[in-house]
Amino acid sequence: MTPEATLAKFRDYMVGPARFANLLSCFELGLIDALRDKPGASAVELGDAVGAKPDHVEQLLHLPVKEGFLAYDAATGGYSLDALADLPKEDLDRALVFMDLVKVTMLRQLYYLSESVKAGTVVGLKEFYGYDGNLFGAVAEHKDLRESWATAMDAGTARVDPWFFDNVDVPAGARVLDLAGNTGLGAINTYRLKASPGLTVTTFDLPEKEQEALENFRANGVAEHCSFIGGDVFQEVPPGFDIVLIRHFLTLWDRSEVLRILHNVNKSLDVGGQVSVLVPVYQDNVREHDSRSVDFYPAFFLGCAMGQGGPQKLSTWSGWLEECGFEMTQVVVEDPAAIPADALPLQAVLTARKIA
Amino acid sequence: MTPEATLAKFRDYMVGPARFANLLSCFELGLIDALRDKPGASAVELGDAVGAKPDHVEQLLHLPVKEGFLAYDAATGGYSLDALADLPKEDLDRALVFMDLVKVTMLRQLYYLSESVKAGTVVGLKEFYGYDGNLFGAVAEHKDLRESWATAMDAGTARVDPWFFDNVDVPAGARVLDLAGNTGLGAINTYRLKASPGLTVTTFDLPEKEQEALENFRANGVAEHCSFIGGDVFQEVPPGFDIVLIRHFLTLWDRSEVLRILHNVNKSLDVGGQVSVLVPVYQDNVREHDSRSVDFYPAFFLGCAMGQGGPQKLSTWSGWLEECGFEMTQVVVEDPAAIPADALPLQAVLTARKIA
């Protein structure tokens, strides 16, 4: 790569925050909706519609015009939708949900990324919210974080969970443990999507989740098939299960904690027992594949969510499973061409079997 | 543009803040310097060197490896400089100065971009610094803003000012007014770069700048040729000059203020008198030219610097000059190929003459 090409890449990085905020503001201020209502509106009309000065509307709309999202007619001074006119609402809404997540949980917090890496905690949450702990604790106390995060997580889970269950084999009548299963929604999904005579699914999480999990089981009519065990995955995983599912969880931890979890899972299983892990991954050769998650996750996990953790390369996840007494039986990675073009994660399901 | 292409562009926008922070942190934490000292260092060695956990070093280095800035050797687990090895230090330093400006003056403040646009003030400065006013006032009170901003401005000015004077004709013995000339450095540069028998340069700015300007003239040995007039450009521009220079100033204002300034300049000049303006510009057709400044300036001026202002299209600047009684005599725009690939502004010099 020539120095010029390197510097041009740096420039692309430099404008990242400005471009992000400029585009999002066009939606937040209602400029795009105003153009749907009145195609060809001028900056003056748009300013009236959204309560901003026409000068400032013009400034903000240069970028979406440049990108081809909007069109500008120099003869009339009117703006209209261009590429945005062809974008299905469902797709746009999904992208905007994610942009809001970036704004609320990341934009400010990233100012402290270096400090967060040094401290191993999310310094940005302390600085902006006075909160000691990680994002998943902070969302319980701060409505803005909770609303932005929960909306994005629900959207992400709705896409990924069906794909996960499509790629996990759960034999009829199996006894399934949903590790770190929170308040039981994963168990309910597992039972519904993998129903078979005798199938049982048990949520394993901290004891304080039990009450809500049991209520969820009853409300969903699966109380006969789903149960809850309280405990701490870093201490012990309960025995007596054929399959352990670990979804949306290992990525929260650094190597030593992941190994401890997997070791405890291994100890809980009989030989031949199965573990299936859902994790976002980096491709082993980040330069040769679609490595979109590399653009996002390190900064998100280290600086905004946990102060640790993050996806790993496929070979790393597999190696860690093997280090803990498993042999790999199946690895499935999301096909970049099969997920929406705006979606960041490339998820993988790694399935392994306990060896003697 | 297909919906897929639009969504892929959205994705590129979404990762902007994360990519920016991840790359900058690699430098801030000293990872890149550590690799200069010890090529082939492992994540463990780098973590020791910079005081971060090896897990977190690995996370942060995925992105520069993906981009080709660094190389990773899977066989040894060692990292080394790749494209960064070929980048002259001067170029890298300039890029890092600008990245620091983005971090300190923009990253957090952009969270409030929409609010800033509605209010017409920099809400982010109020929220994060308790400061009512614009960035140029805030830098006087806040050391972190001042250091980041002044370093970047000095670097930018050092590149742009010689180019400006190369493209402005100052006849021998002219009486030059440097409008909004702050504490006289522009006048000193003008005198030195355009020296001729009888040339005089007068700094025009708020009266409180006079003391420091006069000291600067004396210290630079130009007190015989440079002088200071205190006043308010929105009230009146002093008469008696052949050429008025306006650099780094018009971009701070919205249309009505720019017209008022240009009107006052016109009133101060005799017919045939010259005004030369240095401003960053947007190309008239933002889709067909190098429009890099569109990526940055709207968000910077509206959300971080002024709560107003910003570059304009070339035709807009020219039109405003004509509206105020000038005819254009020369327009020069920076050649994108002639400025560093990481540099954002595309500056223009517009020269016009007062018509009868």
Side-chain angles (χ1 to χ4, degrees):
Chain A
M1 189 157 45
T2 65
E4 288 67 35
T6 305
L7 291 171
K9 281 201 180 194
F10 269 77
R11 188 176 90 225
D12 196 44
Y13 274 70
M14 289 169 182
V15 297
R19 285 158 60 94
F20 170 81
N22 188 336
L23 180 60
L24 182 57
S25 266
C26 292
F27 289 96
E28 285 184 340
L29 290 167
L31 290 167
I32 308 301
D33 285 340
L35 283 174
R36 285 189 209 284
D37 293 344
K38 189 169 182 188
S42 68
V44 171
E45 292 169 319
L46 290 169
D48 280 348
V50 309
K53 205 168 165 184
D55 306 56
H56 306 170
V57 170
E58 283 178 358
Q59 289 287 334
L60 287 178
L61 294 186
H62 285 306
L63 184 63
V65 168
K66 176 190 165 198
E67 290 291 354
F69 298 149
L70 301 180
Y72 174 69
D73 182 339
T76 66
Y79 297 88
S80 55
L81 302 187
D82 192 346
L84 288 180
D86 302 322
L87 198 59
K89 182 173 187 310
E90 182 190 333
D91 287 331
L92 178 60
D93 288 349
R94 183 186 59 240
L96 290 175
V97 159
F98 201 88
M99 290 183 79
D100 188 70
L101 177 79
V102 171
K103 175 187 168 183
V104 177
T105 72
M106 299 181 72
L107 189 60
R108 294 161 297 165
Q109 290 85 332
L110 287 170
Y111 178 87
Y112 294 103
L113 176 58
S114 295
E115 285 79 3
S116 294
V117 170
K118 280 189 226 168
T121 62
V122 185
V123 175
L125 285 173
K126 177 75 179 168
E127 292 291 332
F128 297 120
Y129 290 90
Y131 186 80
D132 279 309
N134 64 42
L135 177 62
F136 310 104
V139 297
E141 294 188 14
H142 295 279
K143 186 160 175 276
D144 64 329
L145 291 171
R146 179 166 65 250
E147 290 182 350
S148 183
W149 178 77
T151 308
M153 286 309 100
D154 289 351
T157 303
R159 177 174 67 78
V160 171
D161 276 13
W163 176 83
F164 171 75
F165 286 110
D166 278 349
N167 289 290
V168 167
D169 184 39
V170 176
R175 299 163 298 166
V176 178
L177 186 72
D178 189 33
L179 189 136
N182 200 11
T183 55
L185 297 182
I188 295 165
N189 279 339
T190 306
Y191 183 77
R192 286 185 171 159
L193 292 164
K194 293 294 181 179
S196 65
L199 176 73
T200 62
V201 190
T202 301
T203 296
F204 179 59
D205 211 309
L206 299 174
E208 57 261 37
K209 313 266 188 181
E210 179 162 10
Q211 183 87 358
E212 196 177 336
L214 296 180
E215 280 164 25
N216 283 333
F217 296 151
R218 277 192 294 274
N220 284 273
V222 297
E224 271 182 73
H225 314 287
C226 294
S227 59
F228 185 95
I229 296 178
D232 177 356
V233 69
F234 290 107
Q235 299 299 318
E236 191 186 14
V237 174
F241 296 91
D242 305 308
I243 298 176
V244 176
L245 306 180
I246 315 179
R247 296 172 307 129
H248 311 296
F249 186 63
L250 290 187
T251 319
L252 307 181
W253 309 101
D254 286 341
R255 179 178 183 275
S256 60
E257 286 79 14
V258 173
L259 293 181
R260 184 151 186 176
I261 295 165
L262 294 179
H263 177 76
N264 285 344
V265 170
N266 186 272
K267 217 163 73 175
S268 81
L269 289 168
D270 293 333
V271 170
Q274 174 186 326
V275 61
S276 288
V277 171
L278 175 70
V279 279
V281 292
Y282 306 135
Q283 298 286 349
D284 269 52
N285 187 334
V286 291
R287 292 196 199 172
E288 283 182 11
H289 296 271
D290 184 323
S291 300
R292 54 178 80 173
S293 49
V294 164
D295 289 330
F296 180 77
Y297 277 121
F300 177 72
F301 277 102
L302 298 181
C304 309
M306 291 294 294
Q308 65 178 11
Q312 303 292 339
K313 293 180 178 179
L314 265 180
S315 61
T316 303
W317 290 124
S318 301
W320 290 354
L321 280 159
E322 286 163 3
E323 201 172 329
C324 294
F326 292 96
E327 67 175 6
M328 301 303 304
T329 55
Q330 192 186 35
V331 176
V332 186
V333 184
E334 278 189 309
D335 174 6
I339 68 174
D342 56 293
L344 283 168
L346 285 179
Q347 302 280 351
V349 182
L350 294 92
T351 295
R353 183 170 49 204
K354 176 171 177 171
I355 54 177
Chain B
M1 188 157 45
T2 65
E4 289 67 35
T6 305
L7 291 171
K9 280 201 179 192
F10 269 77
R11 189 176 90 225
D12 195 46
Y13 275 70
M14 289 169 183
V15 298
R19 286 157 59 93
F20 169 80
N22 188 336
L23 180 61
L24 181 56
S25 266
C26 292
F27 290 96
E28 285 184 340
L29 289 167
L31 290 167
I32 308 302
D33 284 340
L35 283 174
R36 285 188 209 284
D37 293 343
K38 190 172 178 185
S42 68
V44 170
E45 292 168 320
L46 290 169
D48 280 346
V50 309
K53 208 169 162 184
D55 307 57
H56 306 169
V57 170
E58 283 178 0
Q59 289 288 332
L60 287 178
L61 295 185
H62 285 306
L63 185 63
V65 169
K66 176 189 165 200
E67 291 290 355
F69 298 149
L70 301 181
Y72 174 68
D73 182 339
T76 65
Y79 297 86
S80 55
L81 301 187
D82 192 346
L84 288 180
D86 303 322
L87 198 60
K89 181 173 188 310
E90 182 189 334
D91 288 331
L92 178 60
D93 287 348
R94 183 186 58 239
L96 290 176
V97 160
F98 201 88
M99 289 183 80
D100 188 71
L101 177 80
V102 172
K103 175 188 169 182
V104 177
T105 72
M106 298 182 75
L107 190 59
R108 294 161 297 165
Q109 291 85 333
L110 286 170
Y111 178 87
Y112 294 103
L113 177 57
S114 295
E115 285 78 3
S116 295
V117 171
K118 281 189 226 170
T121 62
V122 185
V123 175
L125 284 173
K126 177 73 178 169
E127 292 290 333
F128 297 120
Y129 290 90
Y131 187 81
D132 280 309
N134 64 41
L135 177 62
F136 310 105
V139 298
E141 294 189 13
H142 296 279
K143 187 160 174 275
D144 63 329
L145 292 171
R146 179 168 63 252
E147 289 182 351
S148 183
W149 177 78
T151 308
M153 286 310 100
D154 289 350
T157 303
R159 177 174 67 78
V160 171
D161 275 13
W163 177 84
F164 171 77
F165 286 110
D166 278 349
N167 288 288
V168 167
D169 184 40
V170 176
R175 298 163 300 167
V176 178
L177 185 72
D178 189 33
L179 189 135
N182 200 13
T183 54
L185 298 183
I188 296 165
N189 279 339
T190 307
Y191 183 76
R192 287 184 172 161
L193 292 164
K194 294 292 182 183
S196 66
L199 176 72
T200 63
V201 190
T202 301
T203 297
F204 179 58
D205 211 310
L206 300 174
E208 58 260 38
K209 313 265 188 181
E210 178 162 10
Q211 183 87 357
E212 196 177 335
L214 296 180
E215 280 164 26
N216 283 332
F217 296 151
R218 276 192 296 273
N220 284 274
V222 296
E224 272 182 75
H225 315 285
C226 295
S227 58
F228 186 97
I229 297 178
D232 176 355
V233 69
F234 290 107
Q235 299 299 321
E236 190 186 14
V237 173
F241 296 92
D242 306 306
I243 298 177
V244 176
L245 306 181
I246 315 178
R247 295 173 306 129
H248 312 297
F249 185 63
L250 291 186
T251 319
L252 307 181
W253 310 101
D254 286 341
R255 178 178 183 277
S256 59
E257 286 78 15
V258 174
L259 292 181
R260 185 152 184 176
I261 295 164
L262 293 179
H263 176 76
N264 285 344
V265 170
N266 187 272
K267 217 162 74 173
S268 80
L269 289 169
D270 294 332
V271 170
Q274 172 185 328
V275 61
S276 288
V277 172
L278 175 70
V279 279
V281 293
Y282 306 136
Q283 296 287 350
D284 269 53
N285 187 334
V286 290
R287 292 195 198 173
E288 283 181 12
H289 295 272
D290 185 324
S291 299
R292 54 179 77 174
S293 48
V294 164
D295 289 329
F296 179 79
Y297 277 121
F300 177 72
F301 277 102
L302 298 181
C304 308
M306 290 295 294
Q308 65 178 11
Q312 303 292 338
K313 293 180 178 179
L314 265 179
S315 61
T316 303
W317 289 125
S318 300
W320 291 354
L321 280 159
E322 286 163 3
E323 201 172 330
C324 294
F326 292 97
E327 67 176 3
M328 300 304 304
T329 55
Q330 192 186 35
V331 176
V332 185
V333 184
E334 277 189 309
D335 174 5
I339 68 175
D342 55 292
L344 284 166
L346 284 179
Q347 303 281 351
V349 182
L350 294 91
T351 294
R353 181 171 50 207
K354 176 172 178 171
I355 55 179

